Amino acid sequence: MSTPLTTMLENQLTTTWGITNSYSDAPMLMSGYTGRLWLYDSHPQFWSKHQVWEWLQQVMDMYQIDASTIPFQHFDMDGHQLCSLTYQDFNRAAGSMGPTLFHSITELKLGGPCHVEIGQQDLKPELDFSCPYPNISSASEENCDYVIHPLPPAASPAPSRPGPRGTHLWEFIRDILLTPERNPGLIKWEDRTAGVFRFLKSEAVAQLWGRKKNNSSMTYEKLSRAMRYYYKREILERVDGRRLVYKFGRNAKGWKESEK
DNA sequence: CGCTATTTTCCTGTTT
DNA sequence: GAAACAGGAAAATAGC
């Protein structure tokens, strides 16, 4: 058979994610330097847009912060553009993660860990979720149907977490789907009303799930086994013939637009 | 401490 | 061939 449209997403993180990284053991105090990842083998100026996103994901991983807390759409650019962003640009685009990201990219631009002087450069990003992303006034963004909401308005003064994600796997998946602004192309609805969805970055989702469970060795292989157990419980329905595609079943609640 | 529900891990085989 | 899909089996984990 002719190979179906194997999207460009296919060259996802397969290589890097598979690696059993060292950040598993401790939330270490990393000063921006990680290990050897592809990031360190190529100049950020030449990154593709996809690589920019991978970099984002990896920096977030380093600090054990849910990557979906920063709006990836604000980094819809290639490496060249990324490198031309200023410190302020990073702050505008990534809120409290701005300084950290800026520091990371600066190091990478210079070819390795080094000192960067930008005021109070706190390497440990303090998780300030109260107002993750200040308004971004992008004048030339009319045709973008993404309206970026600052997310759950944090009604109470209490520091409400970026997003309460269900404790169970299916809830975790559901919640990623339900917050597209914070879903950097990980999973996508195939049929919103029918509850059919597809993994775009299966390994990335597995990593995210693993981080939630504090298990750095999670893989899609294992995650999918858990997904298959849901068939019997009718939390998921089989969608055969279609790889990486699942469908919510009668016992999965809270995913419908109406009951949202 | 048991007990249950949910994964997680591993594996062998099949399908795409 | 490389990924996914399929489940069985058993261990691990989290909450009562």
Side-chain angles (χ1 to χ4, degrees):
Chain A
M1 311 291 170
S2 61
T3 310
L5 25 130
T6 307
T7 56
M8 63 214 103
L9 301 154
E10 232 39 85
N11 57 350
Q12 47 168 303
L13 359 174
T14 41
T15 45
T16 45
W17 289 113
I19 298 170
T20 40
N21 282 323
S22 51
Y23 62 74
S24 50
D25 294 324
M28 321 172 253
L29 35 154
M30 276 186 268
S31 65
Y33 180 74
T34 54
R36 40 210 41 67
L37 298 166
W38 64 266
L39 296 170
Y40 300 93
D41 298 328
S42 69
H43 293 284
Q45 285 87 349
F46 306 125
W47 289 350
S48 63
K49 173 181 151 186
H50 185 260
Q51 285 175 303
V52 168
W53 281 19
E54 280 205 64
W55 162 74
L56 278 172
Q57 183 81 52
Q58 289 179 5
V59 172
M60 299 305 273
D61 280 349
M62 252 177 255
Y63 292 98
Q64 302 248 312
I65 298 171
D66 191 331
S68 60
T69 59
I70 61 170
F72 275 49
Q73 316 86 46
H74 292 176
F75 292 92
D76 181 21
M77 60 186 77
D78 60 26
H80 181 71
Q81 293 169 287
L82 183 74
C83 287
S84 65
L85 296 183
T86 65
Y87 180 64
Q88 279 71 25
D89 288 334
F90 273 96
N91 287 330
R92 273 192 292 271
S96 61
M97 276 304 288
T100 308
L101 290 169
F102 181 79
H103 185 260
S104 170
I105 198 63
T106 302
E107 283 188 345
L108 291 167
K109 278 197 279 190
L110 297 174
C114 63
H115 311 294
V116 191
E117 40 249 279
I118 15 166
Q120 69 311 42
Q121 185 57 236
D122 200 355
L123 294 173
K124 198 90 180 188
E126 110 173 45
L127 306 183
D128 152 29
F129 292 123
S130 49
C131 180
Y133 339 111
N135 350 335
I136 305 239
S137 48
S138 41
S140 59
E141 217 73 55
E142 321 263 274
N143 49 356
C144 181
D145 51 351
Y146 259 122
V147 179
I148 295 150
H149 293 282
L151 298 192
S156 62
S160 78
R161 282 275 143 165
R165 270 165 175 183
T167 46
H168 291 140
L169 176 58
W170 71 269
E171 297 171 308
F172 176 79
I173 299 297
R174 175 199 64 191
D175 296 343
I176 288 178
L177 277 161
L178 258 34
T179 53
E181 322 81 45
R182 302 178 321 179
N183 176 356
L186 297 176
I187 317 176
K188 154 180 184 272
W189 286 112
E190 287 281 288
D191 185 332
R192 184 65 182 83
T193 42
V196 180
F197 58 92
R198 178 164 54 99
F199 283 79
L200 299 177
K201 298 184 185 176
S202 51
E203 292 303 334
V205 174
Q207 284 290 304
L208 206 55
W209 172 239
R211 196 162 67 241
K212 183 181 183 60
K213 300 289 292 291
N214 202 19
N215 174 358
S216 62
S217 60
M218 181 49 60
T219 61
Y220 177 71
E221 178 81 42
K222 293 185 277 195
L223 182 153
S224 64
R225 181 66 189 93
M227 295 286 277
R228 289 194 290 276
Y229 272 127
Y230 287 144
Y231 293 141
K232 198 185 290 276
R233 299 170 55 199
E234 297 196 86
I235 284 172
L236 292 179
E237 283 177 35
R238 299 200 116 93
V239 175
D240 31 38
R242 311 215 36 211
R243 301 180 137 206
L244 303 172
V245 176
Y246 298 83
K247 176 181 180 182
F248 285 122
R250 54 162 19 72
N251 294 327
K253 294 171 306 183
W255 60 268
K256 289 180 184 170
E257 284 163 303
S258 49
E259 61 188 48
K260 187 180 174 183

